[in-house]
Each structure stands twice: as structure tokens, then as C-alpha cells.
Amino acid sequence: MRNNIILTDCDGVLCDWEYAFTQWMHKQGIRTKNANEYDVAIKFDIEFYQAKALVKQFNESANIAFLPPLRDAVHYMKKLNTMHGYKFHCITSLSDNKYAQRLRYQNLDFLFGREIWDEVICLPCGADKDKVLEKYKDSGCYWIEDKVENAVVGDRLGLHSVLVEHPHNSNSVASDPYAYDDDSAHIPRFDKWKHIYNYITGEGSYGV
């Protein structure tokens, strides 16, 4: 395994899926009921099966080609590539629909440029990433995620897990069953890619 590879999730790490999905839901006439919730069923006060179906519908729609970037991801990922030689492998649980996957590739190429990607791996909507992460076992690659469960899996496999901080993975969110888990307590969390960049390169500080 090359030591210049960084593994990343996509939604909530590279792209602001939550914002785009919320706007799409409003256009469907489904309003936000619990703004600070991440779980779609709770956020919009709908049944679980309906939430799952709507997420799948959105993920397989043309909207996926037009997601905005998350915060300062574009600038600092390009900087990691051009100044430090890192290449990225994106592991995303988007859809097993080949057309949706092509739209994801299109979105990532448009935002970040094709040159930074070594590989983009699309899994079925909501799928676990355990088996894909297995092939990177003990590589020491950085693994950038927003879902605590996936960060913990990577950590246990010998990856260098880093969490992109959101309300849904903050230690202040008592509803997150992993929030106070010893396995995740040592995983660093950063709200900006600037801080992730500094953490990886050893440049600057990790503060605001």
C-alpha cells in the first residue's frame, strides 16, 4: 500500500449532502421538523421506511451531480495533492445504480479535479464499509469520515482515522451511542479541512 494515499468518505466529508438533501425535501413539500437531528426519519418526522426510500430516491437522482463542497474541503484537498503528493481513494455508500455512480464521479471531478483521485468506490445506499476497508488493513492510511462507527472500524483495522466534526458525531450528542465509547475517544475530530490538512502535514495549528 502506497503511503501517499488518503481514504475519504464523501457525504459529510467532501460534499454537503445534508444541505442538498434538505433543500430537495422542502421542494417535495416535506418540511424540517427537528433541525438539529441527523437521522432523516427524526429530522423530518416521517416513518423509517419512507425516509430510507427518499434517501435512495435522492441518491439516484440528478441532484447527486450537483452537491456543493463541504466547507473548505476543495482548497485543502487540492493542496494536499499538489503540495504533498497525496492521492485520494473515496469510499462512498451512495447506490449500486451505475448511473448514480457516474453522477457521483462527475460531481467529484467537477469540484476537486480528476487528477486527485486514484479510486472512487461506490457501495449500495447505506452499506457498511468494513469489507472495503479490510483491503487497507494495517496500511496506516489516513481515513477521513463523519460517521463514528466507520471511523472506529478503520481504527481497529490499523488505519489513522479522523472525524469531520458535525453535531451528529460530537461528544455533546448523547443520542449517539458511540459518542462516549472508549474506541472513539482518541480519534481526532476537526470541523475544518484546514485543521485536517495541518494535522496530516504537521503545519500550523489545529485550532480555529
Side-chain angles (χ1 to χ4, degrees):
M1 184 62 63
R2 298 196 334 238
N3 61 7
N4 68 332
I5 291 173
I6 295 176
L7 312 177
T8 71
D9 179 29
C10 184
D11 300 313
V13 173
L14 310 179
C15 299
D16 197 343
W17 181 93
E18 187 175 7
Y19 169 80
F21 179 74
T22 298
Q23 298 308 304
W24 179 80
M25 287 287 277
H26 292 172
K27 289 179 181 178
Q28 314 310 307
I30 304 173
R31 308 304 300 177
T32 301
K33 299 296 178 63
N34 299 288
N36 294 326
E37 289 288 343
Y38 182 71
D39 184 290
V40 170
I42 300 173
K43 185 182 183 77
F44 296 97
D45 193 22
I46 56 178
E47 296 294 332
F48 171 78
Y49 75 88
Q50 185 185 8
K52 187 175 181 180
L54 286 165
V55 169
K56 185 175 186 295
Q57 182 183 344
F58 177 79
N59 282 0
E60 295 179 355
S61 74
N63 293 274
I64 287 299
F66 301 98
L67 298 188
L70 183 78
R71 303 168 189 165
D72 56 348
V74 172
H75 176 75
Y76 286 99
M77 285 182 65
K78 286 185 175 182
K79 197 172 178 181
L80 283 165
N81 173 247
T82 58
M83 296 187 66
H84 299 276
Y86 282 103
K87 290 281 192 174
F88 294 86
H89 289 196
C90 180
I91 304 169
T92 172
S93 299
L94 172 77
S95 172
D96 54 6
N97 180 292
K98 66 179 182 179
Y99 300 108
Q101 293 175 3
R102 289 179 185 176
L103 293 175
R104 169 124 293 175
Y105 305 152
Q106 178 181 320
N107 189 212
L108 292 176
D109 286 351
F110 176 75
L111 293 176
F112 299 96
R114 181 164 297 185
E115 64 278 0
I116 79 168
W117 305 108
D118 256 3
E119 193 169 1
V120 177
I121 302 166
C122 283
L123 304 173
C125 184
D128 291 334
K129 299 176 180 176
D130 306 42
K131 289 184 179 179
V132 174
L133 291 174
E134 277 277 356
K135 76 176 186 176
Y136 300 97
K137 185 176 181 180
D138 295 326
S139 66
C141 287
Y142 287 98
W143 166 224
I144 319 299
E145 251 284 0
D146 70 313
K147 192 173 182 180
V148 179
E149 298 95 312
N150 290 333
V152 169
V153 168
D155 187 66
R156 289 172 178 169
L157 290 171
L159 303 178
H160 202 137
S161 294
V162 175
L163 278 162
V164 175
E165 194 166 33
H166 292 273
H168 67 264
N169 63 28
S170 169
N171 281 337
S172 64
V173 182
S175 61
D176 180 357
Y178 291 84
Y180 304 100
D181 192 303
D182 289 342
D183 287 338
S184 69
H186 66 284
I187 296 175
R189 302 167 189 246
F190 302 112
D191 66 337
K192 298 177 182 177
W193 265 91
K194 174 184 177 180
H195 303 153
I196 296 173
Y197 173 88
N198 289 343
Y199 181 71
I200 291 173
T201 64
E203 300 177 12
S205 69
Y206 314 149
V208 175

